[in-house]
Amino acid sequence: ASGTRLAPYAGLPTLLDAGATIINDIWGLRQPGMVELAAETGAAVCIMHMQGVPRDMQHQPHYEDVITEVYAFLAERMETAIAAGVAESQIILDPGFGFGKSVEHNLELVRRLAEFRSLGRPILLGVSRKRTIGEITGKPVAERVMGTAALCALGLANGANLIRVHDVPEMVDIARTVDATLKS
């Protein structure tokens, strides 16, 4: 794949050529060339929901129904990707915890995560050290490990297949414990 058609992602084809196996796209494959790059390379692609853009996404996020709206977005982006040649098996979905969502929206996503399973693709949850945890606990970023652990455990119990974290050994223990509990 050529980096020239992907100006904002000029280094991405090089990273894929060097062995990267996943494209984690906060833009939900809406940037020019991204869906084609995923189709051409066969790399796994994480399609994430985000309301707004990073510079303003947290300024008064609003939804009539966060679950319905995020679900519709992910379903549409998945359909678009498949129509463009991305294999369904390449796709991972991320409801975008913390990306254009209030504390209440984020907690609703975790509570109702299982509803996204009907899309038929693995669900990734990225809650690690996020602002929502700070709002709930009053803790600074470096002290949000326990809040992260709680949300990871709840997310896994409610349908997440994957978690994106900073504190890997601790969250591996959480994931193993949740898996063992749910298998019982």
Side-chain angles (χ1 to χ4, degrees):
S2 168
T4 56
R5 68 189 149 96
L6 298 170
Y9 304 101
L12 191 53
T14 304
L15 291 171
L16 291 168
D17 292 339
T21 59
I22 187 168
I23 299 167
N24 185 31
D25 188 10
I26 67 167
W27 299 98
L29 296 180
R30 292 178 287 172
Q31 296 293 302
M34 288 304 290
V35 71
E36 293 84 3
L37 180 67
E40 284 174 24
T41 63
V45 61
C46 182
I47 301 172
M48 190 186 85
H49 176 272
M50 173 176 53
Q51 185 181 75
V53 296
R55 75 176 169 276
D56 68 8
M57 68 185 177
Q58 290 309 116
H59 298 294
Q60 301 177 336
H62 175 77
Y63 298 87
E64 293 299 318
D65 179 339
V66 68
I67 302 302
T68 300
E69 292 175 47
V70 171
Y71 186 101
F73 173 86
L74 293 173
E76 185 277 325
R77 297 313 303 154
M78 187 169 87
E79 187 177 299
T80 297
I82 292 168
V86 175
E88 188 173 337
S89 62
Q90 289 173 249
I91 298 172
I92 299 165
L93 301 173
D94 180 348
F97 186 101
F99 282 78
K101 294 163 188 82
S102 68
V103 170
E104 294 77 21
H105 296 140
N106 287 323
L107 298 178
E108 186 74 4
L109 285 172
V110 174
R111 279 192 290 272
R112 297 177 57 193
L113 203 55
E115 295 178 39
F116 294 98
R117 298 297 297 266
S118 65
L119 290 168
R121 299 306 314 139
I123 304 300
L124 181 136
L125 185 63
V127 297
S128 190
R129 302 184 189 183
K130 294 272 178 92
R131 182 184 61 84
T132 290
I133 298 167
E135 292 286 327
I136 294 167
T137 66
K139 304 272 179 156
V141 173
E143 296 177 23
R144 295 179 186 168
V145 177
M146 297 307 291
T148 297
L151 286 177
C152 283
L154 289 166
L156 290 165
N158 289 340
N161 304 95
L162 305 158
I163 52 175
R164 183 176 46 240
V165 298
H166 296 90
D167 306 288
V168 175
E170 294 86 348
M171 298 314 129
V172 167
D173 288 350
I174 297 292
R176 286 181 178 155
T177 303
V178 169
D179 284 348
T181 304
L182 295 178
K183 288 180 185 173
S184 311

